[in-house]
Amino acid sequence: EEINDCLMKNLWDDDSDLHTYRKYKFWLGGFDEHVESKWIWASDEKLFWIGDGCGRERDFNKWCPPAEPNNSGDEDCLELVPRVSCWNDNPCWAELPAFYELV
């Protein structure tokens, strides 16, 4: 199983150690900065989503309803919105902590 897939699934698993981090907003390492509406992981450039809120899933995803990602205001980076346990697209210049993969 891919590292990103495992991390994303564990964030919503109440038995996971990562569950405690759900109270913080943070970057998840996905972006569509190179090609709008083609979301890839920064760690391996694997495509995981194509389109807007009505797009096509390529991999595990947890976009916030009803229409994320919406690119409202040049939003190209993927953040976790913990209070509702879902993903949002946000401007990449926003200062948030991040999960990252050690290699």
Side-chain angles (χ1 to χ4, degrees):
E1 186 169 29
E2 296 286 329
I3 296 291
N4 287 322
D5 297 344
C6 183
L7 172 63
M8 293 301 103
K9 290 173 185 171
N10 284 334
L11 283 170
W12 281 272
D13 180 358
D14 290 339
D15 296 326
S16 170
D17 291 338
L18 293 172
H19 176 73
T20 59
Y21 292 99
R22 289 196 321 188
K23 61 185 172 182
Y24 305 104
K25 274 188 171 185
F26 54 86
W27 294 122
L28 293 176
F31 65 95
D32 73 343
E33 202 166 32
H34 298 310
V35 178
E36 188 60 43
S37 299
K38 289 193 176 187
W39 288 84
I40 61 174
W41 293 117
S43 61
D44 60 10
E45 298 192 8
K46 181 179 175 185
L47 181 68
F48 69 90
W49 184 264
I50 296 175
D52 56 15
C54 299
R56 292 190 319 267
E57 178 178 348
R58 295 292 226 187
D59 206 344
F60 175 82
N61 74 83
K62 184 83 170 159
W63 291 108
C64 296
E68 294 296 347
N70 61 11
N71 197 37
S72 175
D74 197 27
E75 298 175 324
D76 291 320
C77 287
L78 178 66
E79 73 172 352
L80 174 68
V81 180
R83 61 182 161 67
V84 289
S85 296
C86 62
W87 299 354
N88 180 47
D89 55 336
N90 202 6
C92 296
W93 51 260
E95 293 184 21
L96 296 174
F99 268 104
Y100 59 94
E101 177 183 358
L102 293 175
V103 289

